[in-house]
Amino acid sequence: KRMMRNLAGMGFTSLMLYMEDTYELTEYPYFGYMRGRYTEAELRELDDYAYSLGLELIPCIQTLAHLATALRWPDFEGYKESPDVLLIGDERTYKFAEAAIKHCSECFRSRRINLGMDEASTVGKGESVKRYGHRKPSDMMLEHLTRVNDICRKYGMKPMIWSDMYITANSAGGYYDLPENTDCSKWEKPKKDLGLVYWDYYHDDTRTYEKMLDIHAQLSDNVIFAGG
């Protein structure tokens, strides 16, 4: 709440609440266990407080990677790509994603939601190889995005994702080290209603940002910048 007051006083109009597995999901009792998770009542209280200050509180969750502290529990046994990444294509992954998105749609006024999906470097390299054989990570990401985007549409939510995996899946792993004037014309493009969040917290030279923003602009008209 102190952070919200400071932001509102500086003229900010929105705030992303980054949670990973620090919120409760009734269907998954071990999700956020021993992690100081927000209760539903606490999330509603924060949303009300933000609204009173003129701030849009945007849920920022994870629907693919960055879930190691949740995936270690038996609740998630059998549908993990790797210790911190869910298995794309398994129906249990989408049951979980729907539970998370539905929960956010009920606790937050904002219809915007950040679905995460960053730093999922093991996509197509772990359990999926045993189950489905070798597949292109870019094809798998597109499949996952389509399924989760459909869930968002069902609950009236407008999704965005951190952009790094979308770019690395198309560029065979390259991101900040991509050359200037990178041509993205043959890359898979996200759907127009999907926001791409370019995160960069530490570069101190203008050219890196110009290069990365140019790459993002080739992919989408719906680009969001997250800086430090």
Side-chain angles (χ1 to χ4, degrees), residues 4-178:
M4 288 179 184
R5 292 195 296 272
N6 290 341
L7 289 172
M10 290 188 287
F12 280 76
T13 57
S14 62
L15 167 66
M16 281 192 197
L17 185 63
Y18 182 71
M19 295 185 287
E20 288 190 359
D21 64 325
T22 57
Y23 60 101
E24 65 178 5
L25 288 176
T26 305
E27 304 95 319
Y28 299 88
Y30 278 92
F31 186 77
Y33 177 65
M34 299 295 287
R35 289 271 283 156
R37 58 191 171 192
Y38 290 109
T39 65
E40 182 175 335
E42 287 170 333
L43 289 180
R44 291 181 185 276
E45 180 183 347
L46 288 177
D47 188 62
D48 286 342
Y49 193 74
Y51 183 73
S52 75
L53 297 170
L55 287 169
E56 177 190 8
L57 189 62
I58 302 168
C60 187
I61 62 174
Q62 290 288 352
T63 55
L64 183 59
H66 276 285
L67 289 171
T69 52
L71 301 191
R72 63 186 172 178
W73 298 109
D75 276 357
F76 293 91
E77 204 57 51
Y79 56 111
K80 296 182 286 189
E81 176 75 273
S82 62
D84 68 331
V85 178
L86 287 163
L87 184 61
I88 292 173
D90 192 296
E91 288 305 311
R92 290 169 291 184
T93 292
Y94 303 102
K95 180 183 175 185
F96 162 75
E98 180 161 0
I101 292 165
K102 179 176 183 288
H103 184 73
C104 290
S105 74
E106 294 169 347
C107 293
F108 294 83
R109 286 176 174 82
S110 177
R111 295 299 87 190
R112 294 198 284 173
I113 185 170
N114 189 326
L115 300 170
M117 300 196 196
D118 57 314
E119 298 185 315
S121 58
T122 58
V123 165
K125 301 175 184 176
E127 178 63 28
S128 63
V129 178
K130 301 176 191 174
R131 195 176 296 193
Y132 312 120
H134 289 283
R135 295 184 61 198
K136 285 174 60 179
S138 58
D139 290 343
M140 296 179 71
M141 285 298 296
L142 182 61
E143 173 191 326
H144 189 64
L145 276 168
T146 300
R147 291 288 304 272
V148 181
N149 200 22
D150 288 345
I151 295 169
C152 286
R153 194 175 295 112
K154 176 179 176 180
Y155 292 98
M157 302 297 281
K158 299 176 181 178
M160 64 184 87
I161 63 168
W162 305 111
S163 65
D164 59 295
M165 269 307 294
Y166 202 92
I167 291 173
T168 57
N170 275 288
S171 66
Y175 192 62
Y176 291 125
D177 57 347
L178 288 171

Side-chain angles (χ1 to χ4, degrees), residues 179-208:
E180 291 189 30
N181 302 316
T182 293
D183 181 7
C184 309
S185 59
K186 295 182 180 178
W187 288 14
E188 292 279 357
K189 305 291 194 301
K191 293 186 176 181
K192 292 184 181 296
D193 57 352
L194 180 70
L196 284 186
V197 187
Y198 161 38
W199 57 271
D200 195 332
Y201 310 136
Y202 29 70
H203 283 101
D204 55 10
D205 63 293
T206 305
R207 292 182 69 177
T208 298

